[in-house]
Amino acid sequence: MSNTEREVHDAARRAKDAAADLAPMSRADKDEALAAVADALVAEAASIVAANAEDLDRARAAGETEAYLDRLALTEERVSAVADAVRAVADLPDPVGEVVFGSTLPNGLELRQIRVPLGVVGIIYEGRPNVTADAAALCLKSGNAALLRGSSSAYSSNTRIVEVIRGALEKTGVPADAVQLVPGSGRDSAQALMSARGLVDVLIPRGGANLIQAVVRDSTVPVIETGAGNCHVYIDEHADLDKAVAIAVNAKAQRVSVCNAAETLLVHEGIADRFLPRFLREIGDLGVTVHGDDRVRAVDDRAVPATEDDWATEYLSMDLAVKVVGTLDEAMAHIRAYSTGHTEAIVTDSQAAARRFTSRVDSAAVMVNASTRFTDGGEFGFGAEIGISTQKLHARGPMGLREMTSTKYIVTGDGQVR
Amino acid sequence: MSNTEREVHDAARRAKDAAADLAPMSRADKDEALAAVADALVAEAASIVAANAEDLDRARAAGETEAYLDRLALTEERVSAVADAVRAVADLPDPVGEVVFGSTLPNGLELRQIRVPLGVVGIIYEGRPNVTADAAALCLKSGNAALLRGSSSAYSSNTRIVEVIRGALEKTGVPADAVQLVPGSGRDSAQALMSARGLVDVLIPRGGANLIQAVVRDSTVPVIETGAGNCHVYIDEHADLDKAVAIAVNAKAQRVSVCNAAETLLVHEGIADRFLPRFLREIGDLGVTVHGDDRVRAVDDRAVPATEDDWATEYLSMDLAVKVVGTLDEAMAHIRAYSTGHTEAIVTDSQAAARRFTSRVDSAAVMVNASTRFTDGGEFGFGAEIGISTQKLHARGPMGLREMTSTKYIVTGDGQVR
């Protein structure tokens, strides 16, 4: 066992002890701790911005782009927004203790299945340092200890933010070890988290496809897979033309860098002549490059030829693959072959088509006459999200506080035996 | 890729196709298929018993015990009981389509979270061939394709049972490939299942601790861990003496080979003088060997000294570890150190002690004044169980048909965009 592995596993052990104390805490005590964290972030904003300046200097020296520097940068205003997000989490209902199932058994035993915290949640993330406070707040609210492993590029910012959070917790009933930054920032610290089976209850990777695949492959700790979205919009033969154009444009172009943006548009041949000219003009004017099949390219010569790769690509850019299909079933077969199971939408006025699509398309979210962009914890009314699960076990789709819980059965009797 | 791996993955691909057809099927169609399966098992009972005779011959030649042979043996009567169990599964409500959450969002989008099948469920099991039909029925009812990998000792029986099931399905709307026995019966066929990520949605190992640990360690397919139960009964200072003795005796001795049997008894020192003499006499008279600490051995000299190993052992035999503790918190600390998180019970008339125990003990089931033996899908009213999960992700405790489902969000609008 390497030094890093030993240090990370020691941190996980402390997190496990903290989680045991945190699990039975009342909502009032947890909310008070979150308020203290928010206040401390505001009070210590200057020192957090100073630590962030070190990260920015390193990033500049490494020749990172302006866009990268902007994502990394913290100002006192941004720290204040992070504190507001922590307060918003405090305002959400506490999922712990919710009774999800219950009955009185024939022998008089009273059975209740209630939500309990998962325990220790490890989060491996890239990018912006605001995720640090955000993830810590979601874990605390749901009664979980957080083991945070951010990117090395934000190490100084993350270190200071976690110091501030722990300092605030020390004045509350929540143990400071409920929020820890994983020691080290290299690949070995992530690996040490992945091998901490029995100490860490779940790992949630947040970031690009490479990070997520590495965690899924290497971790012996259970993983919730998040994120990759090769999302499809299918324009049915019976679609309302105005809605079809509006939804397809919005799904692709409203924000292209996010997992719920559409990457492939499938158009029924029965509506292609009316839909495609108008849609291709609008989307082309927005600067989107269309990768189309022959029938698409016959309508708009700006479209480039689509290859097999295009159907499988999550562009996250101003690109869109477009294909004409003969039937609803052909559209669904295409989706089944290429989708990552995130979100697919149908635009149709046919009840039969909508029903067939929603019952047969096997994705975390299936939209009827709505943009794929709505697959989001905030849009779904969860108040916050830790990520969007694209796996089928435990949680699927946007993960709010409920998805950060397990359950246990409490069975109360008066002497029953078998 | 070995031949076995290729064959198993090909079977998984066929299962995936079958699962896509099975997912949208109505309850009526699935129940009709289950009835056809039950009828076929009865009609083909003689050929199943004949296949079973081959397994029995091999087991006898290998010098297996009478108890082993009895567990392996099928008679026409036992086959008929298996068919009845399949019919009982048909009678259970269909979990697929159940709305678990829903709301109308401020923008008018209608959000529904509904239960859907997991897809392809791999089950790796040991022992009795009746599990084959049982697991297949639970998978079919919940809309999942079953990839069954039984023990090599029951290979002839399992092969014939699956032939009969598939033959019955061919006359129904359910594709025969929804139930398959994994090709081969060696270790490589189990390994091939564990590497079928993307083809198999979940693996459920059913059997001894070694099997389960091997699957958890080696599988890249998500696993639901089942079974190991180092269950504790804690007799609180404020326990009713009659109930305490009855529950402790029942939890240990009613059936010792099962995961919800008690393995360690913790007794508060304030009740030890009254409880222990009576309990140790009763349990000793039943033939249970007590592994006790010094205070237990001072009461009954039949007790043997408990070692550190005893606290950690799931005996599954007529053995019980017994320890006297000074406080409720000492009992909970012992449970936290040694429990496998299956089931723990407290016997107490104190509301405060019961509340502290149920809120702080982190196990799949926590019993108050009831035997640990009640942690069971049948006892909980689920009608059937595929196993008892001791992990925190996805399912925890007895797993019925609901736990064999995932969910998806269906969002219906009339043109909403962001």
Side-chain angles (χ1 to χ4, degrees):
Chain A
M1 190 178 269
S2 70
N3 273 342
T4 303
E5 193 168 21
R6 194 172 303 114
E7 278 174 40
V8 171
H9 288 199
D10 283 348
R13 258 175 226 108
R14 290 192 299 273
K16 196 173 174 175
D17 287 341
D21 289 339
L22 189 55
M25 280 183 71
S26 69
R27 169 174 181 175
D29 289 343
K30 289 186 286 189
D31 288 355
E32 195 184 303
L34 288 169
V37 166
D39 290 346
L41 288 168
V42 171
E44 295 291 338
S47 74
I48 292 169
V49 171
N52 182 249
E54 298 172 22
D55 289 329
L56 288 170
D57 286 345
R58 272 199 309 274
R60 260 188 223 102
E64 297 288 357
T65 63
E66 277 307 309
Y68 183 96
L69 292 170
D70 182 60
R71 281 197 299 274
L72 183 59
L74 289 176
T75 58
E76 296 209 15
E77 200 174 21
R78 284 186 178 181
V79 173
S80 176
V82 168
D84 287 344
V86 171
R87 286 196 188 93
V89 170
D91 286 343
L92 294 173
D94 187 348
V96 174
E98 188 190 346
V99 178
V100 294
F101 176 81
S103 67
T104 302
L105 302 177
N107 58 7
L109 285 178
E110 292 166 9
L111 178 74
R112 280 179 301 148
Q113 184 184 25
I114 64 161
R115 288 198 190 280
V116 295
L118 286 164
V120 178
V121 176
I123 301 173
I124 301 182
Y125 55 104
E126 296 169 335
R128 305 177 200 227
N130 60 342
V131 172
T132 306
D134 204 40
L138 289 168
C139 286
L140 285 184
K141 178 78 192 200
S142 51
N144 294 296
L147 270 181
L148 304 167
R149 197 277 189 187
S151 74
S152 51
S153 62
Y155 193 68
S156 299
S157 314
N158 291 340
T159 301
R160 183 63 195 139
I161 291 169
V162 169
E163 273 171 13
V164 169
I165 293 174
R166 290 170 57 93
L169 293 181
E170 271 163 15
K171 293 166 205 150
T172 73
V174 173
D177 281 338
V179 178
Q180 295 180 70
L181 194 67
V182 170
S185 60
R187 174 133 185 83
D188 54 345
S189 71
Q191 285 290 346
L193 262 186
M194 298 181 209
S195 69
R197 190 175 175 93
L199 298 173
V200 177
D201 292 288
V202 59
L203 269 188
I204 305 176
R206 287 180 60 165
N210 287 343
L211 168 70
I212 291 164
Q213 284 315 309
V215 175
V216 163
R217 189 186 59 236
D218 294 343
S219 180
T220 57
V221 172
V223 173
I224 299 180
E225 202 173 336
T226 63
N230 185 15
C231 302
H232 296 73
V233 174
Y234 165 63
I235 309 298
D236 186 51
E237 183 178 13
H238 305 292
D240 176 284
L241 204 59
D242 291 340
K243 288 175 187 164
V245 172
I247 288 170
V249 168
N250 182 265
K252 174 68 251 179
Q254 193 246 351
R255 193 168 164 204
V256 297
S257 62
V258 288
C259 59
N260 58 18
E263 307 291 10
T264 293
L265 180 71
L266 302 168
V267 183
H268 192 286
E269 61 183 10
I271 199 172
D273 288 347
R274 284 171 292 146
F275 173 84
L276 279 178
R278 186 169 147 196
F279 170 75
L280 293 173
R281 192 171 55 242
E282 278 201 30
I283 203 87
D285 290 351
L286 289 170
V288 170
T289 301
V290 166
H291 305 248
D293 64 10
D294 292 345
R295 293 159 84 170
V296 171
R297 297 181 63 223
V299 178
D300 186 341
D301 55 16
R302 287 180 298 184
V304 302
T307 65
E308 178 70 17
D309 274 356
D310 284 303
W311 310 129
T313 298
E314 184 188 14
Y315 296 116
L316 299 174
S317 64
M318 293 287 270
D319 292 86
L320 177 69
V322 183
K323 182 189 172 101
V324 175
V325 295
T327 62
L328 166 61
D329 283 3
E330 189 187 334
M332 292 196 296
H334 181 98
I335 288 170
R336 195 158 157 248
Y338 296 104
S339 170
T340 55
H342 189 296
T343 301
E344 330 298 338
I346 182 173
V347 184
T348 188
D349 281 341
S350 157
Q351 187 67 16
R355 188 179 159 100
R356 190 166 176 85
F357 192 83
T358 54
S359 74
R360 287 178 183 259
V361 169
D362 186 26
S363 293
V366 183
M367 305 281 170
V368 178
N369 294 331
S371 171
T372 56
R373 292 277 292 111
F374 286 108
T375 303
D376 172 88
E379 293 293 329
F380 277 13
F382 299 168
E385 75 174 28
I386 192 84
I388 296 177
S389 165
T390 51
Q391 69 180 31
K392 292 191 192 171
L393 278 195
H394 185 71
R396 195 176 193 204
M399 295 174 60
L401 291 170
R402 274 205 181 117
E403 284 69 30
M404 296 183 69
T405 62
S406 181
T407 59
K408 74 179 173 192
Y409 286 99
I410 297 179
V411 185
T412 309
D414 54 1
Q416 281 84 346
V417 296
R418 281 181 79 177
Chain B
M1 190 179 269
S2 71
N3 275 342
T4 303
E5 195 168 19
R6 194 170 303 114
E7 279 175 40
V8 171
H9 289 197
D10 284 347
R13 258 176 225 106
R14 290 192 299 272
K16 196 174 173 175
D17 288 341
D21 290 338
L22 189 55
M25 281 183 70
S26 70
R27 169 173 182 176
D29 288 343
K30 290 187 285 189
D31 287 356
E32 194 185 303
L34 288 169
V37 166
D39 290 347
L41 288 168
V42 171
E44 294 293 339
S47 74
I48 293 169
V49 172
N52 182 249
E54 298 171 21
D55 290 329
L56 288 170
D57 286 346
R58 273 200 307 276
R60 259 187 223 101
E64 297 288 358
T65 63
E66 277 307 310
Y68 183 97
L69 293 169
D70 182 59
R71 281 196 299 274
L72 183 60
L74 289 175
T75 59
E76 297 210 14
E77 200 174 21
R78 284 186 178 183
V79 173
S80 176
V82 167
D84 287 344
V86 172
R87 285 195 189 94
V89 169
D91 286 342
L92 294 173
D94 187 348
V96 174
E98 187 190 347
V99 178
V100 294
F101 176 81
S103 67
T104 302
L105 302 177
N107 57 8
L109 284 178
E110 292 166 10
L111 178 74
R112 280 179 301 148
Q113 184 184 24
I114 65 162
R115 288 197 190 281
V116 295
L118 285 164
V120 178
V121 176
I123 301 173
I124 302 182
Y125 55 104
E126 296 170 336
R128 307 178 199 225
N130 60 342
V131 172
T132 306
D134 205 40
L138 288 168
C139 286
L140 285 184
K141 179 78 193 200
S142 50
N144 295 295
L147 270 182
L148 305 166
R149 197 276 187 186
S151 74
S152 51
S153 61
Y155 194 68
S156 299
S157 314
N158 290 340
T159 301
R160 183 63 196 138
I161 291 168
V162 169
E163 275 172 11
V164 170
I165 293 173
R166 290 169 57 93
L169 293 181
E170 272 163 15
K171 293 165 206 150
T172 74
V174 173
D177 281 337
V179 178
Q180 296 179 69
L181 194 65
V182 169
S185 61
R187 174 133 185 82
D188 54 344
S189 71
Q191 285 290 346
L193 262 187
M194 298 181 210
S195 69
R197 189 175 178 92
L199 298 173
V200 177
D201 292 288
V202 60
L203 269 188
I204 305 176
R206 288 179 58 165
N210 287 344
L211 168 70
I212 292 166
Q213 283 315 307
V215 175
V216 164
R217 191 186 56 235
D218 295 343
S219 180
T220 57
V221 172
V223 172
I224 298 180
E225 201 174 333
T226 63
N230 184 15
C231 301
H232 296 73
V233 175
Y234 164 63
I235 309 299
D236 185 51
E237 183 178 12
H238 305 291
D240 175 284
L241 204 59
D242 291 341
K243 288 175 186 164
V245 171
I247 288 170
V249 168
N250 182 267
K252 173 69 252 179
Q254 193 246 351
R255 193 167 165 206
V256 298
S257 62
V258 288
C259 59
N260 58 17
E263 307 292 10
T264 293
L265 180 71
L266 302 168
V267 183
H268 192 287
E269 62 183 8
I271 200 172
D273 288 346
R274 284 171 292 147
F275 172 82
L276 278 179
R278 186 169 147 196
F279 170 75
L280 292 172
R281 192 171 56 242
E282 279 200 31
I283 202 86
D285 289 352
L286 289 170
V288 171
T289 301
V290 167
H291 304 250
D293 65 9
D294 291 346
R295 294 160 83 171
V296 171
R297 297 181 64 223
V299 179
D300 187 340
D301 56 15
R302 288 181 297 185
V304 301
T307 65
E308 177 70 17
D309 273 357
D310 283 302
W311 310 129
T313 299
E314 184 186 14
Y315 295 116
L316 300 173
S317 65
M318 292 288 268
D319 292 85
L320 178 69
V322 184
K323 182 189 173 96
V324 175
V325 294
T327 61
L328 165 60
D329 282 4
E330 188 187 336
M332 291 197 295
H334 180 100
I335 288 169
R336 194 157 159 249
Y338 296 104
S339 170
T340 55
H342 190 297
T343 302
E344 331 296 339
I346 183 173
V347 185
T348 188
D349 281 341
S350 157
Q351 186 67 15
R355 188 178 158 99
R356 190 167 175 85
F357 191 84
T358 54
S359 74
R360 287 177 184 260
V361 169
D362 187 26
S363 293
V366 183
M367 304 281 172
V368 178
N369 295 329
S371 171
T372 57
R373 291 277 293 111
F374 286 108
T375 302
D376 173 89
E379 293 292 330
F380 277 13
F382 300 167
E385 75 173 29
I386 192 84
I388 295 178
S389 165
T390 51
Q391 69 180 31
K392 292 191 192 173
L393 279 195
H394 185 72
R396 196 177 191 201
M399 294 173 61
L401 290 170
R402 275 206 180 116
E403 284 70 29
M404 296 182 70
T405 63
S406 181
T407 59
K408 74 177 172 193
Y409 287 98
I410 297 180
V411 184
T412 309
D414 55 2
Q416 281 83 348
V417 296
R418 281 181 77 177

